[in-house]
Amino acid sequence: METIATRLAILPFPEIDPVIFTIGPLAVRWYGLAYVAGILLGWLYARRVIQNASLWRNGIAPLNLAQLDDFLLWAAGGIVLGGRIGYILFYDLGSILENPVRAIQIWNGGMSFHGGLLGTTLAMIIFARRNAIPLWSLFDVVAAVVPIGLFFGRIANFINGELWGRLSSMPWAVVFPTGGPFARHPSQLYEAGLEGIVLLVVLAWFVYRRRALKIPGLVTGIFVCGYAASRIFVEFFREPDAQIGYLAGDWLTMGMVLSLPMLLVGIWAIARARSAAAAA
């Protein structure tokens, strides 16, 4: 009887070169372009949110466009530094200690969302204090646009043929160049859909229909819960990092372990936001 382990790929992996073009020794990669696109499109969306006075309590946004423009560099630094450091600490510390040069090879292992989240959160805390911006409102603006970057980042993971899924017999299963000769879940696309498109639409509904930005911290809590739930769900289809494997049985992964506290923090943030709004 044919099994998943012996089944060949149902869909061929698209032949997309991870390098878009080269200029001398400089190679422009889809991975880097994804981060640029996510940050710039997120910035443009955030500008529209800030300029829409009807979305904010008393019709006044907590920060102006000049402050948002200044924060763009802070956000980029938090994402890149936090994401890379997080990946090293959570997923690849042993390999980095053996070969320190690997630490700057972001295409070798990539970035950690949880690390990027921590790095960006630290950047937001410092920036908000330096500019007298209400911290929870800054969190909300950033949370509303983060799914844009997540979408592009996961698409880049797919193009790179990395972070692929577990063995699968589904008709949309794909064989990845580095994943052996078997069909696998395109888990990167699952994440792009859930963490990117679905979460972006849900947050936009709360922002524009429910005027959630008038309750500081609510959008942040919804985002954190939405991301954590999506990530935990997709982890059941995603192959764990080879250097870590399963943490328990054949199902518990590092992604789940890191996302569960996020889910609890998100629930707490929603409750805190609603309680503060009721008290006000």
PDB file of all heavy atoms in Angstrom, residues 157-175:
ATOM      1  N   ASN A 157       9.853  32.727   2.642  1.00  0.00           N
ATOM      2  CA  ASN A 157      10.242  31.399   3.144  1.00  0.00           C
ATOM      3  C   ASN A 157       9.904  30.327   2.121  1.00  0.00           C
ATOM      4  O   ASN A 157      10.681  29.386   1.903  1.00  0.00           O
ATOM      5  CB  ASN A 157       9.511  31.085   4.442  1.00  0.00           C
ATOM      6  CG  ASN A 157       9.961  31.918   5.624  1.00  0.00           C
ATOM      7  OD1 ASN A 157       9.178  32.204   6.523  1.00  0.00           O
ATOM      8  ND2 ASN A 157      11.222  32.331   5.643  1.00  0.00           N
ATOM      9  N   PHE A 158       8.749  30.451   1.479  1.00  0.00           N
ATOM     10  CA  PHE A 158       8.335  29.476   0.469  1.00  0.00           C
ATOM     11  C   PHE A 158       9.268  29.530  -0.742  1.00  0.00           C
ATOM     12  O   PHE A 158       9.710  28.500  -1.255  1.00  0.00           O
ATOM     13  CB  PHE A 158       6.898  29.746   0.037  1.00  0.00           C
ATOM     14  CG  PHE A 158       6.392  28.793  -1.003  1.00  0.00           C
ATOM     15  CD1 PHE A 158       6.002  27.511  -0.657  1.00  0.00           C
ATOM     16  CD2 PHE A 158       6.311  29.175  -2.332  1.00  0.00           C
ATOM     17  CE1 PHE A 158       5.533  26.616  -1.621  1.00  0.00           C
ATOM     18  CE2 PHE A 158       5.851  28.299  -3.300  1.00  0.00           C
ATOM     19  CZ  PHE A 158       5.461  27.011  -2.948  1.00  0.00           C
ATOM     20  N   ILE A 159       9.578  30.735  -1.202  1.00  0.00           N
ATOM     21  CA  ILE A 159      10.469  30.890  -2.349  1.00  0.00           C
ATOM     22  C   ILE A 159      11.843  30.299  -2.040  1.00  0.00           C
ATOM     23  O   ILE A 159      12.471  29.652  -2.897  1.00  0.00           O
ATOM     24  CB  ILE A 159      10.593  32.379  -2.736  1.00  0.00           C
ATOM     25  CG1 ILE A 159       9.258  32.882  -3.299  1.00  0.00           C
ATOM     26  CG2 ILE A 159      11.716  32.588  -3.761  1.00  0.00           C
ATOM     27  CD1 ILE A 159       9.240  34.365  -3.581  1.00  0.00           C
ATOM     28  N   ASN A 160      12.297  30.486  -0.810  1.00  0.00           N
ATOM     29  CA  ASN A 160      13.596  29.956  -0.410  1.00  0.00           C
ATOM     30  C   ASN A 160      13.575  28.442  -0.200  1.00  0.00           C
ATOM     31  O   ASN A 160      14.621  27.819  -0.023  1.00  0.00           O
ATOM     32  CB  ASN A 160      14.071  30.626   0.882  1.00  0.00           C
ATOM     33  CG  ASN A 160      14.591  32.032   0.652  1.00  0.00           C
ATOM     34  OD1 ASN A 160      14.749  32.465  -0.482  1.00  0.00           O
ATOM     35  ND2 ASN A 160      14.830  32.751   1.731  1.00  0.00           N
ATOM     36  N   GLY A 161      12.391  27.848  -0.189  1.00  0.00           N
ATOM     37  CA  GLY A 161      12.288  26.413   0.057  1.00  0.00           C
ATOM     38  C   GLY A 161      12.710  26.037   1.461  1.00  0.00           C
ATOM     39  O   GLY A 161      13.308  24.985   1.683  1.00  0.00           O
ATOM     40  N   GLU A 162      12.367  26.880   2.450  1.00  0.00           N
ATOM     41  CA  GLU A 162      12.763  26.641   3.838  1.00  0.00           C
ATOM     42  C   GLU A 162      11.523  26.603   4.732  1.00  0.00           C
ATOM     43  O   GLU A 162      10.451  27.062   4.354  1.00  0.00           O
ATOM     44  CB  GLU A 162      13.702  27.749   4.319  1.00  0.00           C
ATOM     45  CG  GLU A 162      13.067  29.135   4.279  1.00  0.00           C
ATOM     46  CD  GLU A 162      14.034  30.266   4.542  1.00  0.00           C
ATOM     47  OE1 GLU A 162      15.240  29.978   4.653  1.00  0.00           O
ATOM     48  OE2 GLU A 162      13.587  31.413   4.617  1.00  0.00           O
ATOM     49  N   LEU A 163      11.686  26.054   5.910  1.00  0.00           N
ATOM     50  CA  LEU A 163      10.595  25.965   6.890  1.00  0.00           C
ATOM     51  C   LEU A 163       9.388  25.240   6.317  1.00  0.00           C
ATOM     52  O   LEU A 163       8.241  25.604   6.569  1.00  0.00           O
ATOM     53  CB  LEU A 163      10.191  27.374   7.379  1.00  0.00           C
ATOM     54  CG  LEU A 163      11.317  28.246   7.951  1.00  0.00           C
ATOM     55  CD1 LEU A 163      10.762  29.566   8.439  1.00  0.00           C
ATOM     56  CD2 LEU A 163      12.056  27.518   9.072  1.00  0.00           C
ATOM     57  N   TRP A 164       9.660  24.183   5.534  1.00  0.00           N
ATOM     58  CA  TRP A 164       8.575  23.453   4.905  1.00  0.00           C
ATOM     59  C   TRP A 164       7.844  22.584   5.909  1.00  0.00           C
ATOM     60  O   TRP A 164       8.256  22.428   7.057  1.00  0.00           O
ATOM     61  CB  TRP A 164       9.081  22.596   3.745  1.00  0.00           C
ATOM     62  CG  TRP A 164      10.530  22.234   3.762  1.00  0.00           C
ATOM     63  CD1 TRP A 164      11.510  22.807   3.020  1.00  0.00           C
ATOM     64  CD2 TRP A 164      11.168  21.213   4.541  1.00  0.00           C
ATOM     65  NE1 TRP A 164      12.718  22.204   3.291  1.00  0.00           N
ATOM     66  CE2 TRP A 164      12.542  21.226   4.214  1.00  0.00           C
ATOM     67  CE3 TRP A 164      10.713  20.282   5.479  1.00  0.00           C
ATOM     68  CZ2 TRP A 164      13.454  20.347   4.793  1.00  0.00           C
ATOM     69  CZ3 TRP A 164      11.618  19.412   6.075  1.00  0.00           C
ATOM     70  CH2 TRP A 164      12.974  19.458   5.716  1.00  0.00           C
ATOM     71  N   GLY A 165       6.734  21.986   5.416  1.00  0.00           N
ATOM     72  CA  GLY A 165       5.858  21.244   6.296  1.00  0.00           C
ATOM     73  C   GLY A 165       6.172  19.760   6.403  1.00  0.00           C
ATOM     74  O   GLY A 165       7.128  19.252   5.816  1.00  0.00           O
ATOM     75  N   ARG A 166       5.326  19.079   7.128  1.00  0.00           N
ATOM     76  CA  ARG A 166       5.470  17.636   7.331  1.00  0.00           C
ATOM     77  C   ARG A 166       5.001  16.893   6.076  1.00  0.00           C
ATOM     78  O   ARG A 166       4.375  17.452   5.185  1.00  0.00           O
ATOM     79  CB  ARG A 166       4.647  17.200   8.541  1.00  0.00           C
ATOM     80  CG  ARG A 166       4.986  17.979   9.816  1.00  0.00           C
ATOM     81  CD  ARG A 166       4.230  17.448  11.008  1.00  0.00           C
ATOM     82  NE  ARG A 166       4.323  18.362  12.153  1.00  0.00           N
ATOM     83  CZ  ARG A 166       3.867  18.095  13.367  1.00  0.00           C
ATOM     84  NH1 ARG A 166       3.281  16.926  13.600  1.00  0.00           N
ATOM     85  NH2 ARG A 166       3.975  18.978  14.348  1.00  0.00           N
ATOM     86  N   LEU A 167       5.295  15.606   6.032  1.00  0.00           N
ATOM     87  CA  LEU A 167       4.894  14.785   4.900  1.00  0.00           C
ATOM     88  C   LEU A 167       3.385  14.812   4.738  1.00  0.00           C
ATOM     89  O   LEU A 167       2.638  14.812   5.715  1.00  0.00           O
ATOM     90  CB  LEU A 167       5.366  13.355   5.103  1.00  0.00           C
ATOM     91  CG  LEU A 167       6.885  13.147   5.243  1.00  0.00           C
ATOM     92  CD1 LEU A 167       7.200  11.680   5.462  1.00  0.00           C
ATOM     93  CD2 LEU A 167       7.620  13.686   4.038  1.00  0.00           C
ATOM     94  N   SER A 168       2.944  14.850   3.473  1.00  0.00           N
ATOM     95  CA  SER A 168       1.515  14.998   3.212  1.00  0.00           C
ATOM     96  C   SER A 168       1.102  14.290   1.932  1.00  0.00           C
ATOM     97  O   SER A 168       1.901  14.150   0.993  1.00  0.00           O
ATOM     98  CB  SER A 168       1.169  16.493   3.100  1.00  0.00           C
ATOM     99  OG  SER A 168      -0.149  16.681   2.636  1.00  0.00           O
ATOM    100  N   SER A 169      -0.151  13.865   1.888  1.00  0.00           N
ATOM    101  CA  SER A 169      -0.723  13.273   0.675  1.00  0.00           C
ATOM    102  C   SER A 169      -1.789  14.180   0.077  1.00  0.00           C
ATOM    103  O   SER A 169      -2.525  13.778  -0.820  1.00  0.00           O
ATOM    104  CB  SER A 169      -1.328  11.897   0.987  1.00  0.00           C
ATOM    105  OG  SER A 169      -2.370  12.025   1.950  1.00  0.00           O
ATOM    106  N   MET A 170      -1.893  15.406   0.573  1.00  0.00           N
ATOM    107  CA  MET A 170      -2.874  16.341   0.053  1.00  0.00           C
ATOM    108  C   MET A 170      -2.554  16.703  -1.402  1.00  0.00           C
ATOM    109  O   MET A 170      -1.378  16.731  -1.795  1.00  0.00           O
ATOM    110  CB  MET A 170      -2.903  17.612   0.901  1.00  0.00           C
ATOM    111  CG  MET A 170      -3.403  17.416   2.333  1.00  0.00           C
ATOM    112  SD  MET A 170      -5.138  16.902   2.432  1.00  0.00           S
ATOM    113  CE  MET A 170      -4.950  15.137   2.728  1.00  0.00           C
ATOM    114  N   PRO A 171      -3.564  16.999  -2.226  1.00  0.00           N
ATOM    115  CA  PRO A 171      -3.314  17.301  -3.638  1.00  0.00           C
ATOM    116  C   PRO A 171      -2.498  18.570  -3.865  1.00  0.00           C
ATOM    117  O   PRO A 171      -1.971  18.774  -4.955  1.00  0.00           O
ATOM    118  CB  PRO A 171      -4.718  17.415  -4.243  1.00  0.00           C
ATOM    119  CG  PRO A 171      -5.616  17.662  -3.078  1.00  0.00           C
ATOM    120  CD  PRO A 171      -5.006  16.928  -1.928  1.00  0.00           C
ATOM    121  N   TRP A 172      -2.406  19.432  -2.866  1.00  0.00           N
ATOM    122  CA  TRP A 172      -1.596  20.648  -3.002  1.00  0.00           C
ATOM    123  C   TRP A 172      -0.210  20.490  -2.350  1.00  0.00           C
ATOM    124  O   TRP A 172       0.533  21.453  -2.243  1.00  0.00           O
ATOM    125  CB  TRP A 172      -2.324  21.840  -2.374  1.00  0.00           C
ATOM    126  CG  TRP A 172      -2.702  21.619  -0.943  1.00  0.00           C
ATOM    127  CD1 TRP A 172      -1.917  21.794   0.157  1.00  0.00           C
ATOM    128  CD2 TRP A 172      -3.976  21.172  -0.458  1.00  0.00           C
ATOM    129  NE1 TRP A 172      -2.602  21.480   1.300  1.00  0.00           N
ATOM    130  CE2 TRP A 172      -3.878  21.103   0.964  1.00  0.00           C
ATOM    131  CE3 TRP A 172      -5.184  20.826  -1.066  1.00  0.00           C
ATOM    132  CZ2 TRP A 172      -4.944  20.698   1.751  1.00  0.00           C
ATOM    133  CZ3 TRP A 172      -6.244  20.426  -0.269  1.00  0.00           C
ATOM    134  CH2 TRP A 172      -6.130  20.368   1.120  1.00  0.00           C
ATOM    135  N   ALA A 173       0.124  19.277  -1.920  1.00  0.00           N
ATOM    136  CA  ALA A 173       1.439  19.046  -1.310  1.00  0.00           C
ATOM    137  C   ALA A 173       2.535  19.321  -2.328  1.00  0.00           C
ATOM    138  O   ALA A 173       2.345  19.186  -3.533  1.00  0.00           O
ATOM    139  CB  ALA A 173       1.526  17.617  -0.792  1.00  0.00           C
ATOM    140  N   VAL A 174       3.686  19.717  -1.833  1.00  0.00           N
ATOM    141  CA  VAL A 174       4.802  20.146  -2.680  1.00  0.00           C
ATOM    142  C   VAL A 174       6.075  19.430  -2.247  1.00  0.00           C
ATOM    143  O   VAL A 174       6.273  19.170  -1.063  1.00  0.00           O
ATOM    144  CB  VAL A 174       5.004  21.674  -2.577  1.00  0.00           C
ATOM    145  CG1 VAL A 174       6.233  22.125  -3.367  1.00  0.00           C
ATOM    146  CG2 VAL A 174       3.770  22.414  -3.058  1.00  0.00           C
ATOM    147  N   VAL A 175       6.951  19.113  -3.213  1.00  0.00           N
ATOM    148  CA  VAL A 175       8.268  18.612  -2.861  1.00  0.00           C
ATOM    149  C   VAL A 175       9.227  19.788  -2.894  1.00  0.00           C
ATOM    150  O   VAL A 175       9.267  20.555  -3.851  1.00  0.00           O
ATOM    151  CB  VAL A 175       8.752  17.507  -3.820  1.00  0.00           C
ATOM    152  CG1 VAL A 175       8.927  18.009  -5.237  1.00  0.00           C
ATOM    153  CG2 VAL A 175      10.062  16.905  -3.318  1.00  0.00           C
TER     154      VAL A 175
END
